[in-house]
Amino acid sequence: MSTKQLLDRDQPVGGEFQETNNTLEATEKPPGSDQKLLERISVSPAVMVGKPVIKGTRVTVEYVLNLLAHGATQGEILEEYEGLCEEDIHACFLFASRFLEKSGTLQTRSEG
Protein backbone atom coordinates (compact mmCIF):
# COMPACT_ATOMS: atom_id res chain seq x y z
CA MET A 1 0.00 0.00 0.00
CA SER A 2 1.45 3.36 -0.98
CA THR A 3 1.61 6.41 1.30
CA LYS A 4 -1.08 8.05 -0.83
CA GLN A 5 -3.32 5.02 -0.37
CA LEU A 6 -2.61 5.10 3.36
CA LEU A 7 -3.57 8.78 3.52
CA ASP A 8 -6.68 8.19 1.40
CA ARG A 9 -8.06 5.78 3.97
CA ASP A 10 -10.30 7.28 6.64
CA GLN A 11 -9.44 4.72 9.25
CA PRO A 12 -6.87 4.08 11.96
CA VAL A 13 -3.21 3.83 11.06
CA GLY A 14 -2.01 0.58 12.55
CA GLY A 15 0.85 -1.81 12.06
CA GLU A 16 4.42 -1.17 11.11
CA PHE A 17 5.85 1.11 8.46
CA GLN A 18 8.25 -0.02 5.77
CA GLU A 19 10.26 2.29 3.53
CA THR A 20 10.03 1.47 -0.16
CA ASN A 21 11.31 3.80 -2.89
CA ASN A 22 11.40 6.76 -0.46
CA THR A 23 7.78 6.25 0.64
CA LEU A 24 6.42 4.73 3.81
CA GLU A 25 4.08 1.79 3.46
CA ALA A 26 1.98 0.17 6.16
CA THR A 27 2.51 -3.50 6.83
CA GLU A 28 0.20 -5.64 8.89
CA LYS A 29 1.06 -6.52 12.48
CA PRO A 30 -0.77 -9.00 14.70
CA PRO A 31 -3.08 -7.39 17.27
CA GLY A 32 -1.36 -6.39 20.50
CA SER A 33 -0.88 -3.45 22.79
CA ASP A 34 1.06 -1.47 20.17
CA GLN A 35 -1.62 -2.16 17.58
CA LYS A 36 -4.36 -1.00 19.94
CA LEU A 37 -2.50 2.22 20.63
CA LEU A 38 -1.84 2.88 16.95
CA GLU A 39 -5.54 2.36 16.20
CA ARG A 40 -6.14 5.54 18.20
CA ILE A 41 -4.40 7.51 15.43
CA SER A 42 -6.24 8.28 12.19
CA VAL A 43 -5.16 9.82 8.90
CA SER A 44 -7.62 11.31 6.41
CA PRO A 45 -7.03 14.00 3.78
CA ALA A 46 -10.37 15.50 4.86
CA VAL A 47 -9.19 16.05 8.45
CA MET A 48 -6.41 18.53 9.27
CA VAL A 49 -4.99 18.31 5.72
CA GLY A 50 -4.08 14.66 6.18
CA LYS A 51 -1.99 15.06 9.32
CA PRO A 52 -2.21 12.19 11.81
CA VAL A 53 -4.84 12.97 14.45
CA ILE A 54 -6.22 11.30 17.53
CA LYS A 55 -9.15 9.30 16.19
CA GLY A 56 -12.47 11.12 16.40
CA THR A 57 -10.84 14.50 17.02
CA ARG A 58 -9.05 17.25 15.14
CA VAL A 59 -6.15 17.11 17.63
CA THR A 60 -2.98 16.30 15.71
CA VAL A 61 -0.16 14.09 16.93
CA GLU A 62 2.18 16.98 16.13
CA TYR A 63 0.20 19.36 18.36
CA VAL A 64 0.18 16.98 21.34
CA LEU A 65 3.92 16.35 21.05
CA ASN A 66 4.59 20.07 20.71
CA LEU A 67 2.58 20.81 23.87
CA LEU A 68 4.57 18.20 25.78
CA ALA A 69 7.88 19.47 24.36
CA HIS A 70 7.05 22.95 25.65
CA GLY A 71 6.34 21.82 29.19
CA ALA A 72 2.67 20.90 29.27
CA THR A 73 1.93 17.86 31.40
CA GLN A 74 -0.26 14.96 30.34
CA GLY A 75 -2.70 16.02 33.04
CA GLU A 76 -2.94 19.55 31.66
CA ILE A 77 -3.59 18.24 28.15
CA LEU A 78 -6.24 15.80 29.39
CA GLU A 79 -7.89 18.58 31.39
CA GLU A 80 -7.95 20.94 28.41
CA TYR A 81 -9.17 18.30 25.93
CA GLU A 82 -11.74 16.36 27.97
CA GLY A 83 -12.38 13.77 25.25
CA LEU A 84 -8.78 12.55 25.34
CA CYS A 85 -7.37 9.87 27.61
CA GLU A 86 -3.87 8.89 28.66
CA GLU A 87 -3.73 6.15 26.01
CA ASP A 88 -4.26 8.81 23.31
CA ILE A 89 -1.10 10.59 24.42
CA HIS A 90 0.79 7.29 24.53
CA ALA A 91 -0.45 6.60 21.00
CA CYS A 92 1.04 9.93 19.86
CA PHE A 93 4.44 8.94 21.26
CA LEU A 94 4.27 5.48 19.68
CA PHE A 95 3.17 6.83 16.29
CA ALA A 96 6.01 9.37 16.27
CA SER A 97 8.50 6.74 17.40
CA ARG A 98 7.48 4.32 14.65
CA PHE A 99 7.53 7.06 12.03
CA LEU A 100 11.03 8.20 13.03
CA GLU A 101 12.26 4.63 13.30
CA LYS A 102 11.38 4.04 9.66
CA SER A 103 12.25 7.45 8.21
CA GLY A 104 16.02 7.25 8.67
CA THR A 105 18.26 10.02 9.87
CA LEU A 106 17.46 13.70 10.14
CA GLN A 107 19.82 16.35 8.90
CA THR A 108 20.51 19.14 11.36
CA ARG A 109 22.56 22.26 11.13
CA SER A 110 26.01 21.75 12.54
CA GLU A 111 27.16 23.90 15.40
CA GLY A 112 30.14 26.05 14.84
Side-chain angles (χ1 to χ4, degrees):
M1 175 177 298
S2 73
T3 302
K4 180 169 177 9
Q5 289 171 318
L6 179 65
L7 293 175
D8 286 343
R9 300 182 319 171
D10 187 14
Q11 57 187 11
V13 177
E16 299 282 336
F17 290 98
Q18 171 181 321
E19 188 171 356
T20 307
N21 298 330
N22 294 325
T23 63
L24 294 177
E25 295 185 4
T27 59
E28 296 302 318
K29 180 180 178 183
S33 62
D34 283 0
Q35 179 68 24
K36 287 181 182 181
L37 281 176
L38 290 172
E39 287 174 357
R40 294 178 166 279
I41 305 300
S42 179
V43 176
S44 168
V47 178
M48 301 303 289
V49 231
K51 289 185 176 187
V53 298
I54 296 172
K55 187 176 179 180
T57 75
R58 297 180 72 80
V59 179
T60 65
V61 169
E62 173 187 7
Y63 183 69
V64 170
L65 296 175
N66 194 31
L67 288 174
L68 291 164
H70 286 92
T73 66
Q74 286 188 28
E76 290 170 336
I77 295 170
L78 297 176
E79 188 176 307
E80 183 70 25
Y81 298 94
E82 294 179 10
L84 300 185
C85 64
E86 191 173 330
E87 288 81 11
D88 293 324
I89 294 173
H90 294 174
C92 291
F93 281 125
L94 183 59
F95 182 89
S97 172
R98 292 287 171 83
F99 183 82
L100 290 171
E101 178 181 292
K102 300 301 180 185
S103 66
T105 60
L106 299 175
Q107 293 187 6
T108 59
R109 292 174 22 183
S110 61
E111 295 182 34

